Amino acid sequence: MEKVKEKYAQANIIDYLHIGREIGDKTTTEKFKLWLREGNREFGVYVDIIFDNQTEEVIDILYRETNR
């Protein structure tokens, strides 16, 4: 959530949902959906956090906005 606050500094996080975890051979992806409010606009952001299974180091964070 800290990275979302950095990326969307003017928005407030009003709700979130942990969608689940996808475990692969080398990496795991944690999936979340956050609901944000920025002024009169409300929108969702899907966040995928990809990390190394052995070191647990974050490899990438992907963001996708949605109207729902």
Side-chain angles (χ1 to χ4, degrees):
M1 285 206 275
E2 290 176 21
K3 295 294 185 184
V4 172
K5 287 181 185 179
E6 289 175 17
K7 185 168 178 64
Y8 298 94
Q10 302 301 315
N12 293 317
I13 298 171
I14 55 176
D15 200 7
Y16 73 94
L17 171 69
H18 179 248
I19 297 172
R21 174 183 281 201
E22 292 180 0
I23 301 171
D25 293 335
K26 295 183 181 181
T27 62
T28 294
T29 303
E30 289 284 354
K31 296 181 170 280
F32 298 89
K33 182 178 182 185
L34 287 76
W35 197 252
L36 284 69
R37 180 180 296 136
E38 186 173 27
N40 292 331
R41 178 179 177 232
E42 287 190 8
F43 59 100
V45 177
Y46 287 101
V47 180
D48 293 349
I49 303 170
I50 304 164
F51 61 92
D52 185 278
N53 288 344
Q54 290 184 338
T55 65
E56 295 187 2
E57 178 181 349
V58 174
I59 296 169
D60 201 2
I61 301 175
L62 307 174
Y63 305 92
R64 292 182 317 277
E65 286 188 26
T66 181
N67 291 329
R68 298 179 185 214

